[in-house]
Amino acid sequence: MDNCLPLPLSLSDLIALEDPNKARPNRTPTESEMRGLCSLADSHARIASFLETELSRAEAVHQSIRTRYEEQFSELEATRSQMHQSHQLISTLSTHRDQIRGELARITSILHPLRRFPSDILQCIFETCTQASEMPLAVAITLSHVCQRWRTIALSTPRLWNRIIFSTDRNSNDIRAFWEWISPRVRNVETTVQLKDNVYKTSLGLHNCPLTLIPNLVTLDIILSEIYLIFEVIDVKFQVPPIKKLIIRNNSSDLDEITKLEQEVFIGWRLEKLLDRFESLEQLDIGDIPTMTQSPEHGRVFSQIKVLSLGYTGPLYILSILASFPQLEKVSFGHVETVVAAGQTPVVHQSLRILQINSFDDESWLPFLSCPSLTALVTASEDPHHFFNFIERHPTLERIEMENCEGLLKRLTEIAPQIKHMGQSGSWTDFSNWANRGFHEPPLPSLEVATMMDDLNDLSAITFEAIVRSRALPSFHPQSLLHPSLAPLKEIHVLIKPESLDSVILDRWKATEYYHSAKKRFVKAEMWDDCEEIILSWV
């Protein structure tokens, strides 16, 4: 073992050995070592020179960046200073501008022609604003808070405050305070009051409304959230001054949901009870109150009523009603359940001028009725044939509106050629194409006004143009097809139902040349609630 050669050292062991030059500082290197050290020194010198060059370049670049930074920083400070100065200038100029504008507005308002308007002109403008609004009191309050002059005018214009829409769902103290606040404003002008509640509850709270504070209450409109609240209207605790018009409407969600038990509970409510409660009425409008009934035996006469409108009701003796109201000038029946008393005798109503019947289940009462002064008959009955005998017996009729049926115009031309105003839904082919529809002469030769129903936009442009050309355009018009024996219609009325107003379907007849050339007026329909009417004329 002692004669074996030593193992060679590894690289790490060699590196770990001490430098012999440290142990022997004055050691003389060997020739080969001298050559290696010279080569290593040259390599280090080249590297050092290269690094020196790169360092000089880096220092030069750094100095350039620093110089540029200092220049840009100086420029940024100058810019910030300029921004601050300009902001101060803008603020100063803005303040002065606002002051000048305020002064200009003050001067302009002084010079505005509205300041020179007479007070009566402003009153008319204010009244128009409130009349066109569904919230008239809110408009009146807004107008009264514009300036001192407007407030003075508003408070001295009682017609701004005489259409009161009031919700009763509040405490009694607030209700009392409101009526004490509003009563001095309406003064003695004719006033309309609408009472309603915004929530369904067991009481409408009418007895809390001191309507006697209103000096000249003419129209009272009550909206019931539930049918049984009708008894609050009749209750003597509800103090109401003498009024001329009473409207009662039912806001229940669905009339068909009224149970048989509810009808039995309220079967005692009769029409005459309401009339006894409001003895000064001249107009009575009762909406959908299915529990309302009427006795044919009461023998009472209510001669003060001139206008009567009954909506969806219980069994009604229509002939008895007409006999009980001898001074009626207009009567409207909605969806009524008609009853004819046994041994019914003819009824002659001298003053009735307008008879409107939407629908009913029994026409047996018609032969018993005569109205010598009747001028208008309006019905939505799906089968108008049973009215023909009634129409023939009333030569005073000048206006008829009804559902279309086969041969309607031909029959009306035979029995009522005096008609001046005709309205019908459905097709008007007989009217515009009479020569090819079996007519020997144009139908309704005395006609002055035609009313058409645009039911869900089903009035076609072709139908509209044909009617206009055949009956509305004067004979001298180059496109007129007017018969030589006829005078052109004074007006064509197009009746539009509420559901049609919200429809996005294009009214093609409105795109016609004749519609655009006509003189137009837009009004609320006279005979049909909640409908709009477009009145067109070419003469």
Side-chain angles (χ1 to χ4, degrees):
M1 293 292 291
D2 295 337
N3 296 326
C4 294
L5 293 174
L7 294 173
L9 296 175
S10 65
L11 179 61
S12 59
D13 292 336
L14 291 173
I15 294 174
L17 293 176
E18 291 186 2
D19 185 1
N21 292 311
K22 291 182 179 180
R24 297 174 59 190
N26 298 321
R27 187 182 69 86
T28 302
T30 64
E31 287 294 332
S32 61
E33 186 182 359
M34 286 291 291
R35 289 192 299 271
L37 289 174
C38 288
S39 176
L40 184 62
D42 291 340
S43 177
H44 277 63
R46 288 194 301 273
I47 293 173
S49 176
F50 172 76
L51 291 177
E52 185 70 30
T53 302
E54 291 301 316
L55 178 62
S56 299
R57 290 177 180 175
E59 289 177 347
V61 171
H62 176 75
Q63 185 61 37
S64 174
I65 294 173
R66 182 180 181 85
T67 301
R68 189 165 68 252
Y69 167 76
E70 291 176 351
E71 292 175 352
Q72 291 179 352
F73 184 77
S74 176
E75 183 68 22
L76 177 62
E77 285 186 331
T79 303
R80 292 177 61 183
S81 176
Q82 292 175 0
M83 286 181 60
H84 177 73
Q85 295 300 325
S86 64
H87 179 74
Q88 291 285 24
L89 178 61
I90 290 173
S91 178
T92 302
L93 293 176
S94 177
T95 300
H96 288 300
R97 180 203 62 186
D98 293 342
Q99 292 175 348
I100 295 299
R101 280 185 173 179
E103 184 65 17
L104 177 61
R106 187 186 68 82
I107 296 173
T108 303
S109 66
I110 296 175
L111 298 175
H112 197 282
L114 192 60
R115 281 184 171 266
R116 300 190 296 275
F117 273 23
S119 296
D120 56 342
I121 300 297
L122 286 177
Q123 283 181 327
C124 292
I125 295 174
F126 292 173
E127 290 173 7
T128 302
C129 292
T130 55
Q131 291 168 4
S133 173
E134 295 182 357
M135 303 178 64
L137 285 187
V139 174
I141 292 172
T142 300
L143 292 172
S144 67
H145 283 70
V146 173
C147 64
Q148 184 61 45
R149 183 181 180 225
W150 282 30
R151 180 171 181 81
T152 301
I153 294 174
L155 294 180
S156 61
T157 309
R159 284 185 294 274
L160 291 186
W161 314 90
N162 70 335
R163 189 158 63 96
I164 304 169
I165 301 175
F166 183 73
S167 176
T168 60
D169 54 347
R170 58 190 75 185
N171 64 62
S172 57
N173 291 333
D174 290 343
I175 293 176
R176 181 80 187 184
F178 170 80
W179 293 104
E180 290 177 350
W181 170 81
I182 195 65
S183 58
R185 286 167 167 75
V186 299
R187 301 187 184 179
N188 199 41
V189 299
E190 295 185 351
T191 303
T192 296
V193 171
Q194 182 185 99
L195 299 178
K196 62 179 181 178
D197 61 349
N198 294 325
V199 294
Y200 293 97
K201 53 187 181 180
T202 58
S203 174
L204 192 58
L206 295 179
H207 61 279
N208 292 324
C209 299
L211 298 184
T212 52
L213 294 177
I214 304 300
N216 191 9
L217 180 58
V218 174
T219 301
L220 178 59
D221 183 357
I222 301 176
I223 301 178
L224 306 177
S225 59
E226 296 291 348
I227 292 176
Y228 56 77
L229 297 178
I230 185 68
F231 288 109
E232 288 194 37
V233 181
I234 305 175
D235 194 339
V236 293
K237 294 180 181 179
F238 179 36
Q239 297 295 318
V240 181
I243 59 176
K244 294 183 179 180
K245 183 176 182 179
L246 175 63
I247 304 172
I248 303 177
R249 290 179 283 172
N250 172 34
N251 200 28
S252 295
S253 57
D254 190 351
L255 295 173
D256 296 331
E257 294 179 359
I258 299 170
T259 66
K260 182 178 180 181
L261 177 61
E262 288 175 321
Q263 295 194 30
E264 291 175 352
V265 170
F266 303 116
I267 198 67
W269 187 82
R270 296 185 181 277
L271 178 61
E272 49 265 32
K273 288 186 178 181
L274 184 67
L275 294 170
D276 288 338
R277 180 69 177 82
F278 299 90
E279 297 180 349
S280 61
L281 286 181
E282 295 181 3
Q283 299 184 44
L284 177 60
D285 185 345
I286 301 179
D288 297 332
I289 311 290
T291 58
M292 186 186 71
T293 59
Q294 175 258 348
S295 170
E297 300 90 8
H298 59 78
R300 300 281 303 282
V301 174
F302 303 95
S303 57
Q304 79 278 9
I305 302 292
K306 293 181 172 58
V307 178
L308 177 65
S309 178
L310 302 178
Y312 184 86
T313 68
L316 289 182
Y317 295 84
I318 290 184
L319 294 172
S320 177
I321 286 180
L322 294 175
S324 299
F325 300 93
Q327 300 302 317
L328 271 182
E329 298 178 1
K330 177 182 178 181
V331 65
S332 175
F333 297 111
H335 304 279
V336 298
E337 181 181 347
T338 57
V339 181
V340 177
Q344 178 68 54
T345 58
V347 173
V348 179
H349 202 292
Q350 297 289 344
S351 61
L352 189 63
R353 296 186 298 105
I354 300 174
L355 175 60
Q356 182 171 359
I357 310 170
N358 287 344
S359 66
F360 51 87
D361 56 357
D362 183 7
E363 68 277 4
S364 60
W365 58 276
L366 277 173
F368 294 95
L369 178 63
S370 296
C371 307
S373 302
L374 193 66
T375 59
L377 172 64
V378 180
T379 176
S381 174
E382 295 181 359
D383 184 10
H385 287 91
H386 47 251
F387 281 96
F388 288 159
N389 180 264
F390 181 82
I391 293 172
E392 191 171 11
R393 291 190 293 108
H394 291 81
T396 55
L397 280 171
E398 295 182 351
R399 177 174 183 174
I400 293 179
E401 294 188 28
M402 57 176 51
E403 295 288 329
N404 191 13
C405 66
E406 185 65 28
L408 175 62
L409 286 179
K410 189 171 185 178
R411 183 67 175 135
L412 288 180
T413 302
E414 294 172 353
I415 64 176
Q418 77 281 358
I419 293 176
K420 295 182 179 180
H421 187 155
M422 175 64 192
Q424 70 172 25
S425 63
S427 174
W428 282 74
T429 305
D430 287 354
F431 194 78
S432 57
N433 193 24
W434 57 271
N436 297 325
R437 301 287 292 183
F439 289 85
H440 298 294
E441 58 184 12
L444 304 179
S446 301
L447 199 65
E448 298 177 354
V449 177
T451 297
M452 297 179 287
M453 175 74 77
D454 184 17
D455 192 359
L456 291 177
N457 307 97
D458 63 357
L459 177 61
S460 69
I462 295 175
T463 299
F464 178 74
E465 290 181 337
I467 295 171
V468 172
R469 294 184 67 188
S470 63
R471 292 299 291 262
L473 294 181
S475 56
F476 57 80
H477 193 284
Q479 296 179 325
S480 174
L481 299 177
L482 186 68
H483 192 271
S485 64
L486 300 177
L489 294 179
K490 295 180 178 179
E491 295 173 343
I492 286 182
H493 297 193
V494 181
L495 196 65
I496 303 178
K497 289 185 175 180
E499 53 265 33
S500 298
L501 295 175
D502 299 329
S503 174
V504 297
I505 303 175
L506 175 65
D507 292 321
R508 292 179 176 84
W509 61 273
K510 290 184 180 179
T512 62
E513 171 192 349
Y514 302 111
Y515 177 79
H516 290 290
S517 63
K519 291 176 284 187
K520 308 175 190 66
R521 288 187 292 128
F522 300 85
V523 299
K524 294 286 290 183
E526 179 183 359
M527 294 293 186
W528 303 98
D529 294 337
D530 301 325
C531 287
E532 299 288 338
E533 205 168 35
I534 305 177
I535 301 178
L536 308 172
S537 176
W538 292 264
V539 295

